[in-house]
Amino acid sequence: MKKLESSLLNMTLVLTAVTVIMGGILAAVNDITSKPIAQQKEKALADGIKAVMGIDNFVVAETDTLSQTDSKGKEQLFVIYTIENNGQPYGAAIESTTGGFGGDLKILVGFDEAGTILGYTLLEHAETPGLGAKADKWFQKGEKGNIIGKNPITPLTVSKDGGDVDAITASTITSRAFLKAVNNAYSAYMQNSKNIQNGASADAQTGATQQTNEK
């Protein structure tokens, strides 16, 4: 077989061929893996909602997004999953993100229709292991900083700031960030509820109904 001459044209043709082949391979791999990844995300979300709402069987009646601007002028995006149980309104699970000590702190918090906290889970965080990372347990029912059963109509604050929530030991910044995420989630939930009552879209996107019967 005659060897290709080392010319600019031949090099360009070879590189183009390699690029096309690699692009095809990457597209095939993405097609194969995208569905399992999407299914894994759906299961993680369903498990999270189940945990924060305290129920096994539920329907996500609506999925809305709400944008709000905080006191510093920073835009915050909330995802609101309106929950039904046995055909009846049960409250909502809200995704909320704030800046923690080590980076973004993202939580999923569940509220009943009156705005009482049913539960929460950490979705993402970059807090210090053994300190700020304790937020996943510290504020749960029966723990020192328990917020379950509280209603943030009056914003939740740590005792150091005059509130009644015990901060994580040596992690006041993380505790403040966590409570801010909860307070913001409550505010978004109440605002979204008003928008729905008034028939406004509230910059919302309604998703498909989702149901889980997992135990």
Side-chain angles (χ1 to χ4, degrees), residues 65-205:
T65 58
L66 181 66
S67 177
Q68 292 186 341
T69 302
D70 63 16
S71 58
K72 296 182 179 179
K74 183 179 179 180
E75 185 180 38
Q76 295 180 310
L77 186 67
F78 301 89
V79 183
I80 304 171
Y81 304 98
T82 302
I83 306 300
E84 290 184 356
N85 183 31
N86 295 322
Q88 299 298 317
Y90 196 79
I94 320 291
E95 288 184 9
S96 177
T97 305
T98 57
F101 179 76
D104 281 347
L105 180 69
K106 184 177 182 180
I107 68 171
L108 180 70
V109 55
F111 298 96
D112 66 13
E113 286 194 282
T116 301
I117 299 170
L118 298 173
Y120 78 88
T121 186
L122 292 189
L123 298 178
E124 298 175 12
H125 75 86
E127 303 308 282
T128 307
L131 294 174
K134 290 182 178 180
D136 65 334
K137 301 292 184 184
W138 187 271
F139 304 100
Q140 300 285 5
K141 186 175 181 179
E143 300 297 330
K144 291 182 178 180
N146 176 29
I147 63 168
I148 310 305
K150 295 181 181 292
N151 189 309
I153 188 170
T154 298
L156 301 176
T157 55
V158 296
S159 53
K160 184 179 288 188
D161 299 331
D164 60 356
V165 179
D166 288 339
I168 302 170
T169 304
S171 296
T172 302
I173 293 176
T174 297
S175 300
R176 286 171 175 155
F178 173 83
L179 294 180
K180 180 180 179 182
V182 173
N183 293 330
N184 289 346
Y186 172 81
S187 176
Y189 177 39
M190 292 295 104
Q191 182 60 54
N192 192 60
S193 297
K194 289 180 181 178
N195 290 332
I196 292 174
Q197 290 171 4
N198 294 332
S201 64
D203 190 27
Q205 299 173 343

Side-chain angles (χ1 to χ4, degrees), residues 17-92:
V18 170
T19 301
V20 171
I21 293 171
M22 292 303 298
I25 293 173
L26 289 174
V29 171
N30 181 68
D31 186 59
I32 293 171
T33 59
S34 60
K35 187 175 181 180
I37 290 173
Q39 291 175 337
Q40 187 175 29
K41 286 183 177 179
E42 288 179 3
K43 185 180 185 304
L45 175 61
D47 289 344
I49 293 175
K50 184 191 303 184
V52 302
M53 300 303 294
I55 52 177
D56 289 330
N57 303 316
F58 62 87
V59 171
V60 178
E62 288 185 352
T63 301
D64 301 318
T65 58
L66 181 66
S67 177
Q68 292 186 341
T69 302
D70 63 16
S71 58
K72 296 182 179 179
K74 183 179 179 180
E75 185 180 38
Q76 295 180 310
L77 186 67
F78 301 89
V79 183
I80 304 171
Y81 304 98
T82 302
I83 306 300
E84 290 184 356
N85 183 31
N86 295 322
Q88 299 298 317
Y90 196 79

